[in-house]
Amino acid sequence: MLYTEFITELGKAGLSVRAFAELTGMNPNSISNYARTGEVPTHLSLIAVLIVSVSEMGGDYRRIMSKVGVTLKKPRGGARQGHFGGDRQNNLDLKA
């Protein structure tokens, strides 16, 4: 689905990108980044279309989706404090 179509679908359900991200446990920036490519992955498109369909039939998609315990996705990468890309960093002696 094209990103513009995706945004239109969200609008039909009265959702912003931020609200959709909260419903699905995603970072809003991760969804907005698809504007660059112009296309949204199929799984997100399906969720948006199903939300709109339930809403148009008079259903409460929020109540339905609340049956699934949505957890926030972890940020990608292995970075931790004192690590870069998962590798321990040595202290640099910059006083010399």
Side-chain angles (χ1 to χ4, degrees):
M1 172 182 282
L2 295 176
Y3 184 80
T4 54
E5 294 171 337
F6 176 74
I7 296 300
T8 300
E9 288 297 311
L10 293 183
K12 290 178 186 177
L15 289 173
S16 64
V17 169
R18 181 171 299 282
F20 181 80
E22 288 174 9
L23 279 173
T24 57
M26 294 184 69
N27 184 322
N29 291 338
S30 296
I31 296 170
S32 296
N33 287 342
Y34 292 115
R36 268 190 244 131
T37 63
E39 288 195 45
V40 177
T42 303
H43 66 285
L44 296 179
S45 301
L46 284 171
I47 294 169
V49 169
L50 289 171
I51 286 173
V52 170
S53 297
V54 167
S55 183
E56 288 176 343
M57 290 189 286
D60 182 1
Y61 65 85
R62 291 182 192 274
R63 184 180 58 77
I64 293 168
M65 292 180 76
S66 72
K67 294 179 181 181
V68 177
V70 176
T71 56
L72 295 177
K73 293 179 113 182
K74 293 180 182 178
R76 287 190 227 159
R80 297 187 315 268
Q81 187 69 26
H83 292 74
F84 179 78
D87 294 330
R88 183 92 180 125
Q89 299 298 298
N90 296 324
N91 291 331
L92 298 175
D93 184 15
L94 300 176
K95 295 179 184 178

